[in-house]
Amino acid sequence: MIGKARGDPISITGLGAHVPERVLTNDELSTIVDTSDEWIMARTGIRERRIAAPEQALTDLALPAARAALAQAHVEAKDVDLLVCATVTPDMMFPTSSALLADELGAPDAAAYDLLAGCTGFMYALAQAYGMMAAGLAQRALVVGGDVLSRILDWTDRSTLILFGDGAGAVVLERVERPGFIGFELGADGGGGIHLSLPGSGSRRMEDAEGNGFVHMNGREVFKFATRVLVASAQAVLGHCGVSVDEVDVYVPHQANVRIMDHAAGKLGIPRERMIVNVDRYGNTSSGSIPLALADAQREGRLKKGDLVLMTGMGAGLTWGSGLMEWTL
Ligand code: UT7
């Protein structure tokens, strides 16, 4: 799917993020599995990640992120009429985490549902919320992206354990004076889905019980996919919207691996200083990755009113998705 926004004056008016307190360093990881800080830094650029406490579930991370986004937007939860929560690690399959969040926040009039699109979930949710608002179905949306991937990792598998962390982010979408959203490109390739999967997590019966319920990843294949789609999707949305890559002020790729991100920025011709990087501190937080990066960029003063922002996510599905917007906050 590719589309240019119609110019409706809809934009992000509030942004928030939250990560658990517990920091897990590479050195600590090397006491759990056969790995080293040198290997992880060289192959991924990740130094440390946050890990949820045993009693914390997704909504415990998403709630503070959502409250921060609402506060920044000066919006009361009761005025939110759409709440989409992108995650692959909801508190439980149902009730949905979005319904739980709407209840805890106090948004009784909100349509609330969870959205599954792997690490691309936030980009899918953002496009959907924009579309619902542009169609006049919703007036004020809260889009949450977050995951507690540490719960579904095999803590004996070094190839996945080193990559992921826990965290959540949220944005408020409202009608504003100037259009923020410019366009989106979203896609999926179920044929490649097997390269990043969570066997035993749904209605498909898995005969082999071993490893069920844990993330399985073919790292090399996902790496190839990631380097390809981060470039192709960004070029597609830029081309479709008639925007040159030189106009991009802030580039926010999915925080998967510094090597993947550097490759994408290089191929696209985006100077590294325009790219937001926080994967070194948080690892890959899946649906939380892009809103967490946006929140960090805002805190560091790197997101300014009028900036052209390019975001691209990719992940399980396999899925990918880009969004182009003018920052209006
Ligand atoms: O949102 C999407 C989520 N997924 C991704 O973004 C993952 C994309 N893939 C990657 O980031 C990379 O493929 C990894 C970081 C996972 C792995 O890096 P790589 O350069 O592709 O390494 P590799 O899988 O080709 O493995 C190279 C070697 C192997 O040893 P041999 O066969 O060469 O002897 C692995 O067994 O490194 C070994 N290895 C490790 N060594 C130390 C694999 N994991 C580790 C580890 N520590 N944690």
Side-chain angles (χ1 to χ4, degrees), residues 16-37:
H18 185 79
V19 288
E21 268 177 41
R22 165 88 165 98
V23 176
L24 179 63
T25 63
N26 290 347
D27 282 337
E28 233 183 311
L29 265 183
S30 65
T31 66
I32 302 171
V33 288
D34 182 15
T35 190
S36 65
D37 178 46

Side-chain angles (χ1 to χ4, degrees), residues 35 39 43 119 158 217 219-220 222 254 256-257 259 284:
T35 190
W39 193 96
R43 302 288 177 125
C119 299
R158 66 179 182 178
M217 186 180 72
R220 285 184 200 181
V222 179
H254 172 44
N257 176 331
R259 280 160 63 211
N284 178 346

Side-chain angles (χ1 to χ4, degrees), residues 80-100:
V80 169
D81 57 2
L82 173 65
L83 198 167
V84 190
C85 180
T87 185
V88 295
T89 50
D91 289 19
M92 55 188 97
M93 280 309 286
F94 53 86
T96 59
S97 291
S98 47
L100 296 175

